[in-house]
Amino acid sequence: MATRKNGTGDTTGGAEPRRLVIVESPTKAKKIAPYLGSNYVVEASVGHIRDLPRGAADVPAKYKGEPWARLGVDVDHDFEALYVVSPEKKGKVAELKSLLKDADELYLATDPDREGEAIAWHLLETLNPKIPVRRMVFHEITKPAILAAAADTRELDQDLVDAQETRRILDRLYGYEVSPVLWKKVMPKLSAGRVQSVATRIVVQRERDRMAFRSAEYWDISATLDAGAEATPRSFGARLVNVEGARVASGRDFGADGKLKSDGVTVIDEPRARRLAEALEGVDLTVASAEDKPYTRKPYPPFMTSTLQQEAGRKLRFSSERTMRVAQRLYENGYITYMRTDSTTLSESAIAAARSQATELYGAEYVHATPRQYTRKVKNAQEAHEAIRPAGDVFQTPGQLHSALQTDEYRLYELIWQRTVASQMADVRGTTLTLRITGTAGTGEDCTFSASGRTITFAGFLKAYVESVDDEAGGQSDDAESRLPALKAGAAVTATKLDPDGHNTNPPARYTEASLIKTLEELGIGRPSTYSSIIKTILDRGYVYKRGSALVPSWVAFSVIALLEGHFGRLVDFDFTAGMEDDLDAIAGGRERRGNWLQNFYFGGDTGAEGSVARSGGLKKMVGTNLEDIDARTINSIRLFDDSEGREIHVRVGRYGPYLERMIRNDDDPDGDLVSQRANLPDDLPPDELTIDFAEKLFATPQEGRKLGADPLTGHEIVAKEGRFGPYVTEILPEPEPEPTPPEPDIVPVAQDGGGDEGGSTKTAVKKVAAKKAPAKKAAKKATGPKPRTGSLLKSMDLATITLEDALKLLSLPRVVGVDPESKEEITAQNGRYGPYLKKGTDSRSLTDEEQLFTVTLEEALKIYSEPKRRGRQGEAKPPLRELGNDPVSEKPMVIKDGRFGPYVTDGETNASLRKDDEVETITDDRASELLADRRARGPVKKKATKKAATKKATVTKTATKKAPVKKAAAKKTAAKKTPAKKAPAKKAAAKKTPPAE
C-alpha cells in the first residue's frame, strides 16, 4: 500500500555530487541534459510509472481476497490506494533504480502542476531513494530557466499530491460504482465519470433545446439607400426597424416556443412587408438622427490552456486533443512555456520581450504606453503559472522558426506568438455611426429605417492578431468594417432598392469543441488540462459524435443522462460538480483532509450543501438504494411526439442500437389489441432532425423490410431495408434444414446384486463418451447456412421507390468486367463506402459515376488501369491554379496547385503549403522558391517505426536460439507464442469486470 516519505541526508562527502534528474518525457530529457552539465544524468520516466489496478489481474496476490480489491482503494482504512507498477513500466523502474545507485542526489523534475507533483511522489515511493531528494520546478525549457530551477529546488508539496490523489480516487469510486448501473439498465460497456457525464449532459441538453425549438417567421424590409454624389460611400444599406411607433420584431424577440417574449413589438408578415415596400417606392426619406461614438477595443489576454484550445479550434480547425499534443511538443523542445495553465499573467521579462518585438515590427505608436498585465478571477483557479507564451527573454519570431518546426507546430507557435505580442499593443480606435432614416409610406404609415456602421481609424493590436469568431455561434470579427456616409440630421436620401426580407428564428447552435470548453470553464467544471481528454472520452464512448465541427449526442447519451438526472441528479448537477473542484482546491491548500472528504463523499456525513452526496447518505448508499427503483424500459424510452392519430412515438435504446416504436392496432386480432410497430434508425441521423414526417417515412419501411418480389433465378424473396449504415437490399434465404440428430449412445442393462427376481432391480448403465458430443457442435455450425446477398442503395436510389429490377442489379455486384490479358487477373466493378470503383487484385481505381458499375467494359477498364493511379477520387488531374518561373535549386518550373489541405507550390519534386499570408494571385517566384527551400531543409516526413520495433523483437528471439537447428528454432518460436495464450482467458475475464476509464 502507498505511504509517504522523503529521502534525507548528505552522501556527497563534500565532492561535486552526481545528480539523477527524472523528467516525464524523453524529448524533455534530451533537451535539458546539455544545459545541466556532466555531473547530471537526465532520464525520463515516460509518464506515470504506477496507477490503481486496471483489473483483477493487476491486483497483487496478497490483496486479492480483500473486499476492496476490485476498487483498488481500501475504503475502510482512510481510503488508502493500492498502486501497482504496470507491466510495461517494470523495465523502466529497474533502469531508474540502477541509475540511482550511482547518484548522490535525486532531482524530481516533473511538470509544475498537480499531476506532475503526483508523478514525482509516485517516483519517490517506488524508487525508495536513500539519498537526498529535491523537487525541481520550471515553466519553460531554456538554459537560464533550467539552471535557475536546478539552483533553487524545494520539497515535494504533499498538499498538491493529496489533491491529485483525491481526484484519482474520487474518479475511481464514481466510475466503479455508477458505471455498472449503466451496464444493467442501459447497455454493457458504458461508463460514467465525474466530469465526462456532466459534459455529456451539457451536449444532450442543447440537443433537447433544439428538438423542442419552434421556429418563428418574421419579415422586414432591406433597403439600399443613395446619399447623393458628394457622399462617401454613396450607397449604403439599412433595415426597417419601426412602423407607426412600434418596433419591428427581430429574432431576439421570440422565445424557443416560437412566440413573442413580450408586448410592444409588431410582427410583420409577408403580405404586409410587400405592401409596405410598394408603398415606400419613390417616397422622400430623411435622416432623423445621426449618432456617432468613439470605438475602442482592448487586446485579448495571452493564452491560457482553455483559450488556446478554443482559438486553435476556430482558427486552425484543430481538435482540443491535437492542440495539446502539438503544444506539448513545442514546450518540450523549448519553444513555449508550460501549456497547462489557467493564468493570463506574464513575467516582467516576457512583457519586455513582447513590447520590444511589437515596437521593432510595427512601430512605437502601436505599443501601449505602459506595460499591460492581465489578471483574472478564475473560478477554481489552479496554481498561478504564467500564461502560455514563446519561451525565453527574447522571443523567436515565427519566421525564424519556419524551417525548424513541423507544419502544425509552426501554425500553433505563430498563434501563440501573435497573441502574446498583441497583448502589449495599443487599443484599436475608431468610430461607430448609427443613422435613423424616416419616411411616410403611401399607405400613410410612418416608417423608420436604421443603419449602423463601424470605421477603424487606428488598427492598434489588430496589426498583429485578430481573434476568430465561432462558426456555429456567429458574430462580427474585430477587424470587420462597415462604412457609412457622414450624414447629418435632416439630410435627404433616396431608396434605390426596397426588398421585403423574410427570416426564421434558428435553434441554439450545437456545441463545438471550442464552445463546450468555454462553457465548462464558465461553469467551473473540470480543469483546463483535462478538457481535451474529457472531449476525447465522450467521443470515444459513443456518447457524442461530430458532424462537421458540431458535437451531436447519440440516443444512448439521452438514455444515460435521463438515468443519471432521474436517479443520481447531484452527480450531474453543474453547481455540485464545480463545488467538488472547490473542495479539491481546499485539499490542495491544506484546508481540508483527504481522508475526511472521501469518507463523507462515499459513506455520507454532515458536510456540504443541503442535498449534497454526503448529506444524502454518500455515493455507496445512493447507488445501492436507487438501483432497484430504476425501470430500464422507461429510461431507454425517449418520447418524441404524437402522430396524426394521437399515437405516441418513442425512440427505444436497445441492446443492439436505437429504433423507433409506436403501438398500432392489430387488424388480424378480432379484439383489436395493440401491437408494436418498429423501424430502424440510421446511425448518422441527428436527434433534432427526426421529425414526424421522417418518422413516418421510416415506419413505411418496417424492420422486416419492404417486399420487392422474387428473384426469377433463385426464387428468393428480395426486400429493401433501412439499416444502421443506410438503406440496402437483401434476399431472404429459406431456413436451412436441420442436420439429422446423432443416435443415442448404446444402453447396456446391467444386473445388480439381489438375484434378479422381484426382490432384485435392474439399473441402466450408460457408457459416456465425450467424443460423441462433437458432431452436435459441427451440426450447429452447418445449420447457419450461406449468407444472403446484400447491396447498399446507390445515391440516386430511394428506399420508397426502388424496384425489383434495381435491387437485382445491386445484388449482381461485384460484377466481373473481364480478365486483364497481361496479368491474367480478374477485374470487377464494385460499390464501396466511398463510391463505385474497379478492383484488380489489390489495385483499386475509382469510377466517375454509379452507372459505370453496370456499363463499364473491359476495354474501358484496361484504359483506366493504364493511366497513373491518382489519389482519392480526383478523377482527371486538375489544372494548376497559377504557373510561376523556374525554381533556382531544381531548375524546374514551379506551379501553384489546389491540394487536399489547400493551395501549395510544387516543382514536381517538392511540395510546400502556402502560409497564412500567402495569396495565390500575388505570391512571387522568390517567395515560392523560399517555401520550397524551407520544405527541403526540414527533410522528408518521419515515418512511424512500429514495424522496425517488431523486427527487432523477432531478432532477439532468434538470437536466443543460436545453436539450435532451424526446426528447433521454429518450435521454440511456437512455444513462445503459446505461453501468453494460456494467460489470455484470465485477462479477458478480468476485462469484463473492469469498469471503463473514469
Side-chain angles (χ1 to χ4, degrees), residues 50-68:
R50 66 177 193 169
D51 196 4
L52 298 172
R54 291 172 294 191
D58 286 350
V59 177
K62 67 175 180 177
Y63 297 115
K64 282 192 183 289
E66 299 290 345
W68 49 265

Side-chain angles (χ1 to χ4, degrees), residues 879-891:
L881 300 176
R882 188 170 161 222
E883 295 182 359
L884 303 169
N886 288 348
D887 177 60
V889 176
S890 65
E891 298 182 349

Side-chain angles (χ1 to χ4, degrees), residues 181-192:
V181 178
L182 303 183
W183 303 346
K184 291 171 185 173
K185 300 299 181 179
V186 184
M187 65 169 60
K189 298 182 181 178
L190 296 178
S191 73

Side-chain angles (χ1 to χ4, degrees), residues 401-420:
L401 296 177
H402 190 274
S403 59
L405 300 177
Q406 294 177 6
T407 304
D408 280 3
E409 292 169 351
Y410 176 86
R411 295 174 71 196
L412 194 65
Y413 181 84
E414 183 181 43
L415 194 64
I416 294 167
W417 178 87
Q418 287 173 339
R419 179 97 161 205
T420 308

Side-chain angles (χ1 to χ4, degrees), residues 241-248 264-266:
V241 294
N242 196 292
V243 177
E244 286 292 286
R247 186 167 61 80
V248 175
V265 294
T266 181

Side-chain angles (χ1 to χ4, degrees), residues 332-408:
E332 289 180 349
N333 284 288
Y335 296 117
I336 64 170
T337 53
Y338 190 58
M339 67 289 159
R340 292 190 181 93
T341 175
D342 46 22
S343 171
T344 54
T345 59
L346 291 174
S347 65
E348 289 183 12
S349 62
I351 291 173
R355 292 175 65 81
S356 169
Q357 218 154 51
T359 305
E360 183 185 336
L361 293 170
Y362 306 110
E365 70 274 20
Y366 283 94
V367 182
H368 194 256
T370 58
R372 289 184 185 269
Q373 189 60 274
Y374 297 85
T375 55
R376 58 191 294 269
K377 290 181 180 178
V378 190
K379 190 175 183 183
N380 300 327
Q382 213 186 147
E383 304 78 51
H385 305 319
E386 198 178 350
I388 303 169
R389 61 166 176 84
D393 295 335
V394 177
F395 298 162
Q396 297 182 82
T397 66
Q400 290 171 318
L401 296 177
H402 190 274
S403 59
L405 300 177
Q406 294 177 6
T407 304
D408 280 3

